[in-house]
Amino acid sequence: MKDISKNQSKSSIPILEIENLSISFFTRLREIPAVMDFSCTMLPGQALGLVGESGCGKSTVALGIMQDLGVNGRIVNGTINFKGQNLNEMNSEELQKIRGSEIAMIYQEPMASLNPSMKVAQQLMEVPIIHEGLSKTEAYERALEVVIDVKLPDPERILNSYPHQLSGGQQQRIVIAMALMSKPSLLILDEPTTALDVTVEAAVIELVKELGKKYGTSMLFISHNLGLILETCDKICVMYSGEAVETGEINEVFDKMRHPYTQALFRSIPLPGADKTSRPLVSIPGNFPLPHERPFGCNFGPRCNFFVEGSCNAGKINMENLESNEAHSSRCVRIDKIDWDTLPEQSTRTQKADLGRVVLKVDQLKKYYEVNANALFAGNNRKVVKANETLSFEARESETLAIVGESGCGKSTLAKVLMGLETATSGQVNLDGENVENIPIEKRDTSTISNIQMVFQNPFDTLNPSMSVGRQIIRALEVFRYGKNDAERHQRMLKLLDLVKLPREFATRMPRQLSGGQKQRVGIARAFSGDANVVVADEPVSALDVSVQAAVTDLLMEIQRENKTTLLFISHDLSIVRYLSDRVMVMYLGYIVEIGTTDEVFSPPYQPYTEALLSAVPIADTQVVKEHIVLEGDVPSAINPPTGCPFQTRCRWKEQAGKDLCETQLPHYKVISDQHKIMCHLDLETLNSMKPVIRMK
């Protein structure tokens, strides 16, 4: 544990103490309050999680601490004390000495913090040279030490690389190394793992926890992932519409939620036991209020199941300590009147769909790309990228088949071949009795195009900003040659808005007037406009808040039940996958390494890669115990894949299976049951002896 100050001995003085903080942004029209009456305290070495939906003020609090609110932002009330000193009263020179040295920040997108034209070593060395006056030699030694600390392979090569030569996980580790170069007392992490694979996320979080202990660093961890907060933090602060609504020790808040919004957040995420038919998710009703349209009294009142007229909207509501625990606070006037032990009302149960005929059959599919080994200099040496290797599977009517795996495993390439954006190198793709593997989308007939549609990851990029919502759906109907005239297509467009639960008046709205969840609903309406039998959903909810995720996920399920659609759900979020899928297909480096029903894949025996994936999933439940497995290294390059088993370079079971065997021979599939098969050299006895990765206490 390092000293909490470079000029004072360790004491009981909080590292960070925020009291009644209010931050506003000023436009030509009005003052927009972004944060109101926010208070929190962090002690040395403590980790505080800040959670809530987009727009609730989490990042504004962080920028307020950094005193970096831009031209329009201003702290209008309250104090931010760092080691007993009020940051609000410091001048720019004093702040310059603290930023990057005493307080460091890690942002969501690593390339926003890295200079693409400078080598990694130069960027890391700048920190101690500027803040501590070290020589270049001393700064290089410090940089090498920290790069080793963040567990990057071949540290000297990494230091000599440019940021674009590193993977996303490596870039994020460099940003963490940069933040730790001066051994700060406070580290602010703003969604640092959102863009990373779940296995890389697990490794980065493990690293941050280790380094926090090593350097005695306090951490303010901003995230919408409640499971991540549980695994990382000591305390939690839940924010809603600019206010802190509940704070306390992490286990206390998770086990004894005392604000309706906190409870609503947990109801909208798929915890163990959630099931799309018997125990569906409960999305939060209504919409997040705009800053200038907040209700009087409780901000959450219009969306709260426990709202009482005349009580919840009578006046300003303050944070109050619980009688049972003074360290646990809530901003709710009815805290003593609500029966918190009563289970929330469940959504309507549904019958599990009967799976029908085979709609999609993929047999021995391969997709290779030929590239120049030295593409920048037009070299003649050509190499092959093996994106998909001998993929074989079926998908039935009304079935949800989840496709999971890290970036680079071949999920998106498979989707492109299915959609006709790429053609297959070999093998077959049979869609409703027609082989389409070699028919590019521009040569597919209208019925084939309308029969397989896609919902994309980012709703912001898939809509034309200059075209109204209704016109975009009608355009799709025109492409699919639906109806005899404009009137029929207009009527169908209105019914599609009904289908995705959007008001019909949204037909005249422009995309900029819609929230992220509403935009994704328009994308879903467009995908279902041609009565597609197969819909490929590529990370359709990963860009959305957890509360919106629940609504969009259940909407997809409802439409699927009505239309008997086959859904291929591509995701790295195994919690969502467990909740909605009927079967799961695990991919690694172009291969299907495991496939089976959801219950089979989530229970032993596992393919070793599946085991590591499941271990990496953060679960927001204090009653869950997980096997701790952190994958070392990155996914190998598809240009130069390893010999033998594709997973052998990272597998913890390799010695037991036989190192020589794993490194030289591609494993055959071991049939565990009618639908469950695993690609692995481990014998059945060893596979069956595996312990569950996720279990209840």
Side-chain angles (χ1 to χ4, degrees), residues 268-311:
S268 63
I269 59 175
L271 297 173
D275 181 87
K276 64 181 179 181
T277 54
S278 60
R279 288 188 62 192
L281 302 180
V282 182
S283 59
I284 304 175
N287 294 310
F288 197 81
L290 294 173
H292 60 281
E293 296 177 352
R294 291 186 176 106
F296 190 69
C298 177
N299 280 342
F300 188 59
R303 306 174 74 188
C304 181
N305 292 331
F306 305 107
F307 177 81
V308 172
E309 183 72 35
S311 175

Side-chain angles (χ1 to χ4, degrees), residues 276 355 360-362 392-404 414 418 534-538 557 560 565-571 577 580-587 592 594-598 601 675:
K276 64 181 179 181
L355 305 187
L360 178 70
K361 184 174 183 179
V362 176
S392 297
F393 65 91
E394 294 178 348
R396 296 180 174 275
E397 185 181 74
S398 299
E399 180 178 37
T400 301
L401 173 63
I403 305 172
V404 302
L414 170 60
L418 296 178
V534 179
V535 170
V536 181
D538 190 359
M557 296 297 98
Q560 182 191 38
T565 312
T566 301
L567 187 65
L568 300 185
F569 193 88
I570 298 172
S571 181
V577 164
L580 64 83
S581 64
D582 300 300
R583 285 192 302 139
V584 180
M585 186 167 92
V586 184
M587 292 187 67
I592 298 172
E594 183 166 3
I595 187 169
T597 66
T598 305
V601 171
Q675 297 193 63

Side-chain angles (χ1 to χ4, degrees), residues 37 243-245 315-321 329-333:
D37 190 29
E243 295 179 326
V245 296
K316 179 177 165 57
I317 299 172
N318 297 314
M319 290 286 281
E320 300 289 347
N321 295 336
S329 305
S330 174
R331 194 184 297 272
C332 180
V333 293

